[in-house]
Amino acid sequence: ARIVADFDMLESDARNLKSANEAYLRVGLSPASQEGLYNRAIANLLKANPEICVSVQGMPDERGVRLLKRGDLDLLFAPYDMLEHEKEFATERISQIKVGPFCRKGHPILSIKNPSADDMSAYKVIANIGIGYARKVAEVLIPRHVDQHRQMHIIDNFSIVAETVLATNAIGIISLDYARSQTFKEQFTLLTPELVQPIELGVARLSRWLPSPAVRACVESVKHELHKAEV
């Protein structure tokens, strides 16, 4: 009887530990400059699921992929093209962000109405949306004969990007949603937005693990909030 009781206690302890582990969610957001996209989704997730505890980190694309492969993350939200070719991941698209080039007020390029990619190629570009997407921007805004490393800054911090664009003639990339804000309009001007492709956002988890309730709840919360933002 004592042995049976011990086994029952061991089974109960294992079940409790499993539940506790599943309620602790490790989330990576990549690139870190896009953390603001997920603020409301994470807050609503915790409001609706008070039993869940989260660790949320912003990080570069490559580091996020490495951490997820090692099992140090439960979920990674990142540009879809950084995730889709990883065979170990279960990946899905969750949203699309429309972006466009922008510059400071008084920039020389503003003397041109609807400047083209060729017009913008005279200036350095700042990308703060991950290396993978930066390459796509470079294909549009940087001539092929020019070394991208000498023409493009990759800075994963929007505050630094904003200050640099204000202080120089560099051209940055901004989400069209933020470009509608009064804060943006006071200091910057959105250029021809249709030049740059939208960013496809995705989410990945390790395919060898079944998604826990916390993982499913997090993905659904992010999908819901990003869909509202698109609409």
Side-chain angles (χ1 to χ4, degrees), residues 86-205:
E86 298 292 342
K87 296 180 180 179
E88 302 166 60
F89 295 173
T91 304
E92 61 177 307
R93 286 184 172 88
I94 56 169
S95 187
Q96 186 181 79
I97 304 175
K98 294 181 179 179
V99 299
F102 75 102
C103 65
R104 62 177 174 81
K105 299 286 187 183
H107 193 291
I109 202 170
L110 295 177
S111 62
I112 304 171
K113 185 178 181 180
N114 297 322
S116 66
D118 286 341
D119 297 324
M120 295 182 204
S121 68
Y123 306 97
K124 289 190 176 180
V125 178
I126 301 183
N128 68 313
I129 42 184
I131 292 175
Y133 188 75
R135 295 191 188 103
K136 294 183 178 181
V137 172
E139 290 172 2
V140 176
L141 299 183
I142 298 177
R144 292 186 179 180
H145 66 275
V146 175
D147 183 356
Q148 294 180 9
H149 294 96
R150 295 180 179 274
Q151 191 72 3
M152 173 174 279
H153 308 291
I154 299 176
I155 302 176
D156 197 16
N157 181 303
F158 184 71
S159 296
I160 297 175
V161 170
E163 289 297 327
T164 304
V165 171
L166 281 174
T168 70
N169 284 337
I171 291 175
I173 305 296
I174 190 74
S175 73
L176 299 192
D177 183 58
Y178 182 70
R180 290 191 286 266
S181 70
Q182 189 59 37
T183 302
F184 175 86
K185 292 177 180 179
E186 287 173 357
Q187 302 182 88
F188 305 106
T189 298
L190 183 68
L191 299 171
T192 317
E194 61 269 17
L195 287 176
V196 185
Q197 294 180 7
I199 305 173
E200 294 284 348
L201 292 181
V203 60
R205 58 176 176 82

Side-chain angles (χ1 to χ4, degrees), residues 62-74 76 82-83 85-89 204-209:
E62 294 85 351
R63 180 166 180 261
V65 169
R66 286 198 306 271
L67 289 177
L68 184 58
K69 283 183 176 181
R70 287 201 325 235
D72 292 332
L73 290 176
D74 300 301
L76 175 62
M82 290 294 297
L83 306 172
H85 302 299
E86 298 292 342
K87 296 180 180 179
E88 302 166 60
F89 295 173
R205 58 176 176 82
L206 284 176
S207 57
R208 65 177 180 267
W209 294 346

